């Protein structure tokens, strides 16, 4: 086994990358993962029996008592117990299968009291999914237990047959393992060739068993993730809540940036301009020549302030984007880049203004990164539409090494895109080139 040391881009710590000289198929029967998955299959049968028995008993009892008031509390208690058993199954899947499945949404009890709790349990989709899991998992657990145990036992038994075949003539009174037998014919595996073939068949069984067990536990992973994990709706709600926080933080940061730029730039320049004009007004009668020079300087300050205001307005939302669309706006941004940029926009129509603005600022920030950090001599921007997605791609021939997980501006850009169901993919090996691809949902412009 050879060991290399790589770099974990997600955490920033060095990680050990192991290269095995033994092929995966030969080392699979001895790997810890195989034994953990086999242990999971073995435990599934007794646990599934307990879960099935509890679920069927409680639900049947509750259904039978529905003619009285006691049926509803018993029904709710049965569902709550299934939720508890579902938590045990999630923990077992995390420990033995390494399955990272989130906890489902908690009970939403709107008011205090026992009846409110019963209503929350009965209305929760998680309760009914765990009940379904408790019922349908037993047949699968029986099947997977039988398949895994038989393959495992027969594989190792046949593989080790050369070590224990002597038991048959010594203690059982027959020549070897009986392959076939009736009243007149008996076939035993007792000569060296037959013993070797038996061991070879056992080897094939032993090598195939880990992959069979892995396939069986894949079904378990799907069931645990689909029935015991969070529902798609709840996961979407959590994602939208997170995206809303990102949008609010981004908007607040943009407002602070605009306020800072106004205060430190145009506002300070206009204040100085007002003071200069006041001094020029006082000198107008005493020293007209000095007043004229001060007015001329003030005129230059006015031009500079206007340029800063134009730049600030362009940073908020450029007029060319509203008037002429992405093609003209991106060409304008590319003309201000420090390296030559080729821009190609192939869109059948203009997207919605919000999507168009995000696409513009995404390309603008990427081109700023190229100007500041890439040391490139050429860059290209491509924009096109694929079905219901707006695709952006910015490529440069710089030094590379850009990383979304490093906490740079790319991280904030990825969060902004994620807030609108967008994706940012960065391919930037050290030494270059760098290729940044962004996807945005396509929404057509409303006329």
């Amino acid at each position: 086994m050879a060991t290399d040391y790589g770099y974990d881009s997600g955490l920033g710590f060095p990680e050990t990358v192991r290269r095995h000289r033994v092929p995966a198929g030969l080392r699979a029967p001895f790997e810890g993962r195989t034994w953990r998955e086999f242990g999971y299959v073995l435990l599934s049968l007794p646990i599934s029996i307990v879960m099935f028995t509890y679920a069927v008993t409680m639900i049947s009892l509750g259904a039978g008592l529905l003619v009285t008031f006691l049926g509803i509390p018993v029904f709710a208690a049965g569902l709550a117990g299934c939720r508890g058993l579902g938590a045990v199954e999630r923990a077992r899947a995390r420990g033995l299968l390494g399955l990272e499945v989130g906890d489902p949404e908690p009970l939403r009890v709107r008011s205090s009291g026992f009846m409110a709790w019963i209503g929350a349990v009965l209305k929760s989709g998680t309760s009914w999914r765990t009940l379904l899991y408790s019922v349908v998992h037993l047949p699968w657990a029986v099947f997977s237990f039988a398949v895994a145990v038989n393959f495992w036992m027969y594989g190792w038994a046949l593989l080790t047959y050369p070590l224990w075949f002597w038991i048959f003539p010594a203690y059982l009174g027959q020549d070897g393992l009986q392959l076939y037998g009736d009243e007149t014919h008996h076939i035993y595996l007792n000569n060296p060739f037959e013993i070797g073939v038996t061991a070879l068949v056992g080897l094939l069984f032993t090598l195939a068993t880990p992959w069979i067990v892995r396939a069986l536990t894949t079904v378990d992973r799907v069931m645990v993730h689909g029935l015991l994990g969070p529902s798609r709706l709840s996961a979407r709600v959590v994602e939208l809540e997170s995206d809303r926080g990102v949008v609010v933080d981004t908007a607040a940061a943009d407002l602070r940036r605009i306020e800072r730029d106004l205060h430190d730039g145009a506002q300070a320049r206009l204040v100085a301009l007002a003071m200069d004009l006041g001094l020029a007004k006082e000198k107008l009668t005493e020293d007209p020549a000095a007043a004229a020079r001060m007015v001329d300087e003030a005129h230059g300050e006015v031009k500079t302030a206007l340029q800063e205001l134009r730049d600030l307005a362009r940073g908020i939302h450029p007029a060319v984007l509203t008037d002429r669309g992405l093609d003209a706006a991106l060409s304008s941004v590319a003309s201000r880049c420090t390296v030559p940029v080729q821009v190609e926009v192939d869109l059948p129509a203009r997207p919605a203004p919000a999507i168009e603005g995000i696409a513009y600022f995404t390309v603008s920030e990427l081109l700023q990164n190229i100007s500041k950090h890439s040391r490139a001599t050429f860059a290209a921007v491509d924009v096109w539409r694929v079905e219901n997605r707006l695709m952006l791609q910015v490529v440069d021939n710089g030094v590379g090494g850009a990383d979304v997980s490093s906490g740079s501006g790319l991280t904030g850009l990825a969060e902004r895109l994620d807030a609108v169901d967008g994706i940012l993919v960065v391919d930037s090996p050290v030494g270059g080139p760098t290729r940044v691809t962004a996807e945005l949902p396509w929404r057509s412009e409303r006329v």
Side-chain angles (χ1 to χ4, degrees):
M1 180 180 67
T3 303
D4 292 341
Y5 291 95
Y7 192 80
D8 183 2
S9 59
L11 298 176
F13 298 105
E15 63 176 5
T16 302
V17 181
R18 297 183 177 179
R19 297 180 180 176
H20 294 272
R21 294 189 178 92
V22 180
L26 296 180
R27 69 173 186 269
F30 308 99
E31 288 184 329
R33 174 182 176 179
T34 299
W35 292 96
R36 288 192 298 271
E37 290 174 342
F38 185 62
Y40 183 91
V41 173
L42 293 181
L43 289 175
S44 291
L45 182 58
I47 292 177
S48 295
I49 292 175
V50 172
M51 294 180 66
F52 181 87
T53 304
Y54 173 83
V56 171
T57 301
M58 294 298 292
I59 299 305
S60 300
L61 180 61
L65 293 175
L66 281 179
V67 293
T68 67
F69 176 76
L70 294 177
I72 296 177
V74 171
F75 215 85
L79 292 176
C82 289
R83 291 176 67 102
L85 294 173
V88 174
E89 282 293 273
R90 286 193 298 274
R92 189 166 69 97
R94 291 191 192 102
L96 296 178
L97 299 182
L99 178 64
E100 294 298 330
V101 55
D103 294 331
E105 61 275 13
L107 286 177
R108 299 184 180 273
V109 183
R110 300 186 180 276
S111 60
S112 59
F114 183 63
M115 295 304 298
W117 176 82
I118 291 178
V121 172
L122 295 177
K123 292 178 182 178
S124 174
T126 302
S127 304
W128 296 100
R129 291 199 306 273
T130 53
L131 173 63
L132 179 62
Y133 178 87
S134 301
V135 174
V136 302
H137 191 255
L138 177 61
W140 174 251
V142 173
F143 173 78
S144 59
F145 181 91
V147 171
V149 170
N150 277 282
F151 268 88
W152 199 271
M153 291 182 61
Y154 278 109
W156 283 102
L158 295 178
L159 178 62
T160 58
Y161 181 60
L163 303 178
W164 56 272
F165 81 97
W166 57 270
I167 295 177
F168 291 95
Y171 297 101
L172 300 179
Q174 62 185 46
D175 295 334
L177 185 66
Q178 184 173 343
L179 184 62
Y180 172 78
D182 55 23
E183 296 181 354
T184 58
H185 297 86
H186 299 277
I187 299 176
Y188 297 101
L189 303 175
N190 56 358
N191 61 59
F193 174 77
E194 293 172 345
I195 294 174
V197 171
T198 302
L200 180 60
V201 173
L203 177 62
L204 296 177
F205 271 68
T206 303
L207 296 178
T209 299
W211 306 103
I212 294 174
V213 173
R214 194 158 299 175
L216 296 173
T217 55
T218 298
V219 178
D220 286 285
R221 287 184 174 92
V222 173
M223 295 178 66
V224 171
H225 190 276
L227 296 178
L228 301 183
S231 64
R232 291 185 177 181
L233 179 60
S234 64
R236 182 60 176 164
V237 169
V238 172
E239 180 182 355
L240 291 177
E241 289 177 349
S242 175
D243 292 345
R244 181 183 61 183
V246 172
V247 171
V248 171
D249 293 341
T250 301
D254 289 340
L255 288 176
R256 289 193 299 269
R257 177 182 58 81
I258 294 171
E259 181 184 6
R260 183 177 62 252
D261 292 343
L262 283 173
H263 182 271
D264 298 339
Q267 181 179 348
R269 197 173 295 278
L270 289 174
V271 170
L273 175 62
M275 295 176 62
D276 291 341
L277 288 176
L279 293 174
K281 181 180 179 181
E282 294 178 357
K283 289 182 176 294
L284 184 60
T285 57
E286 300 176 359
D287 191 354
R293 287 195 302 271
M294 297 180 69
V295 170
D296 185 62
E297 293 175 357
H299 183 259
E301 290 292 326
V302 168
K303 291 182 177 180
T304 305
L306 287 175
Q307 184 60 41
E308 290 182 355
L309 289 175
R310 289 193 191 98
D311 294 339
L312 183 61
R314 188 183 296 113
I316 298 173
H317 193 84
V320 66
L321 178 63
T322 303
D323 298 338
R324 300 174 59 188
L326 270 177
D327 195 355
L330 294 182
S331 297
S332 176
V333 173
S335 65
R336 299 192 298 271
C337 189
T338 58
V339 302
V341 181
Q342 178 183 346
V343 178
E344 183 174 349
V345 179
D346 183 14
L347 296 177
R350 293 184 63 173
I355 300 299
E356 195 174 51
I358 294 174
Y360 170 82
F361 287 111
T362 298
V363 175
S364 178
E365 186 163 343
L366 292 175
L367 290 180
Q368 288 180 16
N369 288 341
I370 292 175
S371 298
K372 295 177 181 178
H373 310 295
S374 70
R375 287 182 280 175
T377 59
F378 176 79
V381 176
D382 291 323
V383 182
W384 72 99
R385 178 184 175 183
V386 177
E387 297 180 353
N388 62 341
R389 305 292 286 181
L390 175 63
M391 308 295 296
L392 313 171
Q393 190 172 84
V394 179
V395 182
D396 69 80
N397 62 347
V399 296
D403 188 2
V404 178
S405 61
S406 62
S408 61
L410 291 175
T411 304
L413 191 59
E415 291 176 350
R416 292 190 182 192
L417 293 177
D418 184 64
V420 293
D421 287 338
I423 301 173
L424 184 72
V425 179
V426 178
D427 180 17
S428 181
V430 176
T434 296
R435 184 183 303 272
V436 181
T437 305
E439 292 186 21
L440 288 168
W442 177 273
R443 290 196 292 271
S444 299
E445 181 182 20
R446 295 182 180 179
V447 180

